[in-house]
């Protein structure tokens, strides 16, 4: 090769003659918030077509789950949608409870609802504030993160960890909520509304934000349903499907809340739906606290109820008992070694995750591990629609469409 | 009108007769097995019928049963009627030697990646799929890793006795 030739990049003819530009958005791109690869064909600034790739952080959870005793699957579920790990944990516990036919006490249900709604608030906060970041408004993001931090502190008080929580056990929680946890929950309920109000004031009627978001990345209700959309993205398109209402679990039927819907399914509608859901979740959290207090007032012994008695065989005994009581030690050992068998059966259970219907399809053949466990991951299903959503729009719309869809890499790739 | 398991079962047996088998209602979820060659007729019927109207595909996945000779691979559909809030589960078995089944992408765009995933992990060949490639695993992979014969651990390892962990000798 001569020096002259060497200085020229060799391109195929079709690459030179074509009218569009190929742009690699990702896999590691600061604006895609995760490992998403999108190969866009752009004409000037218009997106002509897009092709997405996934699987960059595939960790074979479904295969691993076939070799793990049931309680060891909980940490795997943490890593699906890691922005709202407690919802995944609770969903998994409820799946096993459904398989075993365990009925949890009301107080446990309300505690779960409380934690799940806090997780939903944390997840929606990230998603909406990141839409702000991608439109150029960093203030809101850093501001609300203080309050997401408080939610993480509450998790920490409840289960000891923050992001990947591994919270709860089959039949309830591993321990009761501490006084500090209750204090922090009260602090959140008191302080958060003013912050949320300010967050909305910063963005919702902000002219620049509205101009960027309205009409960007829309999807019709019909297409959204055909694409298997669930959660806030489906509701933004105008379909009021919410698992919490359609198939109530964990005593959601006792709570009073609204399901917000949008009309156009664009970025702005998704943003609004999430905001209203945050308010609704906050109201559910308040109701849950009141209901728990009412239970304790009616019957003071309820204060110590944090797991179902009938789940004793599946619930690790308290640590102090393990060290002092023979029976507790035996149970602890059996459970940790995975010697507790589960009945054969086939069960599908779904919960309303922060970004859609999170389903667990579990087949048990009576062994110590699942014969087959499949996660219905909402992101994985609705991310297919991404090329259709961004086609014909501006490149910058593609970025905010991706962040407003709330695609979480961990859940996408499982 | 609210749908019940009885109504759906009756409508399906009226239409497809004896070809639908293994009716079950585990945990209240109506389940049946359909022959793999009429899977699309069944799904189309469930989709088009105004009373049944199963127009939302909740989930599509695969299961491997090495002991069911001649029908080792199972494709599981979870269909949902969003108006009635009603779910059913449909299964179709295909042999592992020739795992062909009609693709449902034309009816449900959602099925596209779920079928690719099922192909990727189980090797089910969805006939008529527009782009049947691996999705989560590397393109060069030769195995279908969710099949039971595909070991989780390195089988040449001697320092770890599987008898004590996981499922032991089960697969």
């Amino acid at each position: 090769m001569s020096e002259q030739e060497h200085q020229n990049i060799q391109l195929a003819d079709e690459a030179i003659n074509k009218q569009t530009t190929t742009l690699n958005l990702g896999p590691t791109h600061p604006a895609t918030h995760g490992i998403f690869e999108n190969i866009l064909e752009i004409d000037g600034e218009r997106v002509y077509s897009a092709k997405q790739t996934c699987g960059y952080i595939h960790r074979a959870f479904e295969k691993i789950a076939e070799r793990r005793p049931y309680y060891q699957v909980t940490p795997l579920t943490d890593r699906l949608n890691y922005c709202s790990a407690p919802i995944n944990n609770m969903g998994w516990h409820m799946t096993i409870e459904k398989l075993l036919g365990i009925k949890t006490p009301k107080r446990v249900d309300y505690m779960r609802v409380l934690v799940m709604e806090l997780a939903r608030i944390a997840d929606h906060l990230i998603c909406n504030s990141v839409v702000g970041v991608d439109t150029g408004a960093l203030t809101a993001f850093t501001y609300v993160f203080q309050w997401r931090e408080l939610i993480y502190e509450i998790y920490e008080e409840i289960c000891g960890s923050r992001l990947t929580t591994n919270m709860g056990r089959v039949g309830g929680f591993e321990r009761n909520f501490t006084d500090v946890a209750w204090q922090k929950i009260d602090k959140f309920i008191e302080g958060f509304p003013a912050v949320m109000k300010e967050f909305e004031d910063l963005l919702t009627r902000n002219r620049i934000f509205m101009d960027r978001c309205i009409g960007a990345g829309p999807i019709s209700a019909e297409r959204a349903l055909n694409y298997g959309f669930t959660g806030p993205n489906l509701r933004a398109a105008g379909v009021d499907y919410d698992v919490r209402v359609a198939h109530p679990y964990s005593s959601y039927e006792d709570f009073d809340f609204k399901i917000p819907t949008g009309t156009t399914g664009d970025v702005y509608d998704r943003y609004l739906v999430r905001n209203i859901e945050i308010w609704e979740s906050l109201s559910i959290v308040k109701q849950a606290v009141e209901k728990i207090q009412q239970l304790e007032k009616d019957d003071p012994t309820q204060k110590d109820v944090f797991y179902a008695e009938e789940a004793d065989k599946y619930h690790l005994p308290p640590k102090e008992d393990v060290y002092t009581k023979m029976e507790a030690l035996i149970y602890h050992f059996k459970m940790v070694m995975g010697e507790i068998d589960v009945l054969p059966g086939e069960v599908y259970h779904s919960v309303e995750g922060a970004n859609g219907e999170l389903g667990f399809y579990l087949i048990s053949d009576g062994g110590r591990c699942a014969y087959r466990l499949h996660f219905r991951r909402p992101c994985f299903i609705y991310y297919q629609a991404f090329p259709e959503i961004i086609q014909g729009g501006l490149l910058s719309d593609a970025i905010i469409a991706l962040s407003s869809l709330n695609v979480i890499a961990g859940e996408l790739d499982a | 009108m609210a749908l019940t398991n009885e109504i759906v079962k009756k409508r399906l047996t009226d239409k497809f007769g004896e070809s639908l088998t293994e009716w079950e209602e585990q945990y209240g979820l109506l389940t049946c097995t359909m022959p793999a060659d009429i899977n699309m007729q069944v799904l189309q019927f469930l989709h088009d019928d105004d009373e049944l109207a199963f127009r939302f595909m909740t989930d599509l996945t695969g299961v491997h049963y090495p002991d069911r000779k001649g029908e080792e691979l199972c494709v599981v559909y979870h269909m949902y009627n969003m108006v009635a809030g009603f779910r059913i589960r449909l299964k179709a078995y295909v042999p592992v030697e020739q795992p062909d089944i009609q693709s449902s992408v034309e009816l449900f765009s959602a099925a596209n990646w779920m079928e690719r995933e099922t192909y990727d992990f189980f090797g089910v060949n969805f006939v008529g799929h527009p782009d049947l490639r691996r999705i989560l695993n590397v393109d060069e992979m030769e195995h279908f890793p969710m099949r039971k014969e595909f070991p989780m651990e390195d089988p040449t390892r001697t320092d770890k006795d599987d008898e004590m962990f996981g499922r032991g000798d089960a697969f």
Side-chain angles (χ1 to χ4, degrees):
Chain A
M1 199 187 282
S2 72
E3 199 188 335
Q4 183 70 40
E5 276 172 322
H6 189 71
Q7 283 170 349
N8 293 326
I9 304 161
Q10 301 290 312
L11 287 171
D13 277 350
E14 60 268 27
I16 298 166
N17 295 331
K18 71 177 181 176
Q19 300 292 307
T20 54
T21 315
T22 308
L23 181 78
N24 279 309
L25 185 71
T28 47
H29 188 275
T32 55
H33 311 285
I35 311 171
F36 304 109
E37 185 186 32
N38 283 288
I39 301 166
L40 308 179
E41 285 294 328
I42 51 174
D43 182 4
E45 238 190 303
R46 295 265 162 207
V47 177
Y48 174 69
S49 74
K51 210 183 232 175
Q52 59 308 40
T53 314
C54 62
Y56 278 92
I57 58 162
H58 174 57
R59 292 144 297 175
F61 284 163
E62 292 178 7
K63 188 76 181 175
I64 296 171
E66 289 178 7
R67 302 277 296 202
R68 293 268 190 280
Y70 289 93
Y71 75 96
Q72 286 186 5
V73 175
T74 324
L76 301 180
T77 64
D78 288 339
R79 286 149 180 83
L80 291 173
N81 181 353
Y82 40 72
C83 293
S84 51
I87 301 183
N88 311 347
N89 298 157
M90 303 300 157
W92 168 240
H93 298 318
M94 282 184 254
T95 310
I96 308 174
E97 283 158 19
K98 193 168 171 183
L99 183 74
L100 297 168
I102 292 172
K103 178 105 184 62
T104 45
K106 280 281 174 196
R107 185 165 187 268
V108 173
D109 284 353
Y110 296 153
M111 282 158 87
R112 281 183 170 172
V113 167
L114 201 162
V115 174
M116 284 193 284
E117 293 306 322
L118 284 176
R120 195 179 317 281
I121 292 174
D123 193 290
H124 285 357
L125 271 185
I126 299 173
C127 181
N128 271 354
S129 58
V130 160
V131 175
V133 170
D134 288 347
T135 51
L138 196 68
T139 318
F141 176 74
T142 43
Y143 186 45
V144 297
F145 255 50
Q146 293 177 26
W147 292 81
R148 192 188 75 138
E149 176 67 22
L150 181 59
I151 295 178
Y152 279 11
E153 281 177 26
I154 296 170
Y155 296 168
E156 210 172 357
E157 281 303 324
I158 294 170
C159 70
S161 56
R162 296 159 53 86
L163 188 74
T164 50
T165 49
N166 190 13
M167 191 189 281
R169 298 282 182 266
V170 176
F173 285 86
E174 59 270 49
R175 62 181 80 79
N176 212 340
F177 287 9
T178 59
D179 291 340
V180 181
W182 286 115
Q183 282 159 20
K184 288 197 167 160
I185 291 165
D186 285 344
K187 187 179 160 197
F188 183 82
I189 293 172
E190 252 166 59
F192 183 67
V195 176
M196 189 57 206
K197 180 82 188 28
E198 208 158 352
F199 174 75
E200 284 188 319
D201 287 349
L202 274 169
L203 293 178
T204 307
R205 301 298 294 172
N206 181 323
R207 189 73 247 170
I208 304 166
F209 183 76
M210 285 168 75
D211 283 349
R212 282 295 303 278
C213 293
I214 294 174
I219 188 160
S220 69
E222 195 190 347
R223 289 306 291 155
L225 283 172
N226 200 259
Y227 266 120
F229 272 50
T230 43
N233 298 332
L234 179 66
R235 292 193 280 275
V239 183
D240 62 341
Y241 174 65
D242 188 315
V243 187
R244 290 177 291 174
V245 176
H247 303 281
Y249 51 89
S250 195
S251 298
Y252 264 112
E253 64 275 12
D254 299 357
F255 293 87
D256 187 17
F257 59 100
K258 290 193 200 83
I259 304 297
T261 53
T263 47
T264 57
D266 61 2
V267 173
Y268 193 62
D269 269 11
R270 289 196 278 268
Y271 164 83
L272 290 179
V273 164
R274 285 205 174 85
N275 267 351
I276 302 170
E277 278 185 21
I278 291 177
W279 287 111
E280 293 301 320
S281 294
L282 188 69
S283 137
I284 299 173
V285 170
K286 280 184 204 159
Q287 293 174 42
V289 173
E290 279 162 20
K291 280 178 197 297
I292 292 171
Q293 282 168 351
Q294 189 63 42
L295 277 178
E296 289 171 0
K297 216 169 104 192
D298 294 345
D299 176 11
T301 57
Q302 281 279 327
K303 268 201 168 78
D304 303 319
V305 176
F306 58 94
Y307 71 93
E309 284 294 333
E310 53 189 307
D312 236 6
K313 256 175 79 182
Y314 307 94
H315 185 280
L316 281 173
K319 258 290 182 288
E320 11 352 323
D321 287 0
V322 175
Y323 293 134
T324 50
K325 291 180 187 145
M326 188 63 173
E327 215 171 65
L329 179 65
I330 292 170
Y331 268 125
H332 182 91
F333 182 77
K334 277 183 79 175
M335 263 174 258
V336 170
M337 292 308 288
E339 288 302 331
I340 304 280
D341 283 353
V342 174
L343 296 169
E346 203 170 331
V347 60
Y348 177 84
H349 182 72
S350 60
V351 294
E352 180 70 25
N355 48 8
E357 175 175 347
L358 177 70
F360 298 87
Y361 175 45
L362 169 67
I363 301 176
S364 159
D365 62 348
R368 66 209 292 204
C369 321
Y371 184 77
R372 170 91 172 99
L373 174 62
H374 176 70
F375 303 112
R376 184 216 190 258
R377 313 184 301 282
C379 291
F380 179 75
I381 294 166
Y382 67 62
Y383 187 45
Q384 301 180 63
F386 186 59
E388 197 175 305
I389 284 177
I390 63 167
Q391 197 173 28
L394 294 171
L395 176 60
S396 53
D397 290 351
I399 307 261
I400 53 172
L402 180 62
S403 48
S404 83
L405 277 175
N406 199 11
V407 185
I408 310 282
E411 189 174 82
L412 182 70
D413 294 346
Chain B
M1 194 188 70
L3 281 176
T4 61
N5 284 354
E6 288 73 39
I7 296 174
V8 177
K9 186 174 174 179
K10 187 171 175 304
R11 291 295 313 274
L12 275 170
T13 27
D14 283 353
K15 174 84 180 163
F16 295 100
E18 297 296 302
S19 54
L20 301 179
T21 51
E22 293 185 40
W23 291 92
E24 273 185 305
E25 282 181 35
Q26 281 200 41
Y27 304 95
L29 183 56
L30 187 70
T31 306
C32 76
T33 301
M34 56 189 176
D37 51 342
I38 63 158
N39 71 327
M40 279 320 291
Q41 277 102 300
V42 177
L43 291 181
Q44 188 83 49
F45 171 71
L46 289 171
H47 179 276
D48 293 346
D49 190 274
D50 280 333
E51 187 195 1
L52 299 174
F54 286 94
R55 290 176 189 148
F56 187 83
M57 179 176 269
T58 301
D59 195 22
L60 186 162
T61 191
V63 189
H64 185 208
Y65 294 103
D67 294 337
R68 291 181 77 121
K69 291 287 171 238
E71 43 173 35
E72 288 90 348
L73 295 173
C74 177
V75 180
V76 187
Y77 301 86
H78 283 89
M79 305 306 299
Y80 191 61
N81 176 336
M82 207 164 259
V83 179
F86 192 84
R87 204 189 309 280
I88 60 167
R89 181 190 293 140
L90 297 159
K91 294 178 178 181
Y93 290 91
V94 288
V96 77
E97 287 83 27
Q98 207 195 348
D100 295 342
I101 191 164
Q102 277 292 321
S103 161
S104 53
V105 177
E106 271 188 24
L107 202 52
F108 302 102
S109 306
N112 190 325
W113 280 17
M114 293 195 268
E115 287 183 354
R116 276 179 68 186
E117 192 190 23
T118 311
Y119 163 74
D120 191 357
F121 286 105
F122 293 92
V124 177
N125 180 29
F126 290 94
V127 179
H129 189 285
D131 182 25
L132 198 62
R133 285 182 294 126
R134 287 190 181 272
I135 186 161
L136 293 178
N137 291 308
V138 288
D139 292 338
E140 297 78 31
M141 196 177 221
E142 289 167 356
H143 307 277
F144 296 113
M146 285 295 285
R147 288 193 184 168
K148 296 291 183 191
E149 71 264 17
F150 190 85
M152 249 285 282
E153 308 275 352
D154 178 1
T156 56
R157 266 179 73 166
T158 49
D159 58 326
K160 190 172 174 190
D161 185 0
D162 260 1
E163 204 60 49
M164 310 299 276
F165 300 94
R167 298 182 64 92
D169 276 342
F171 48 82

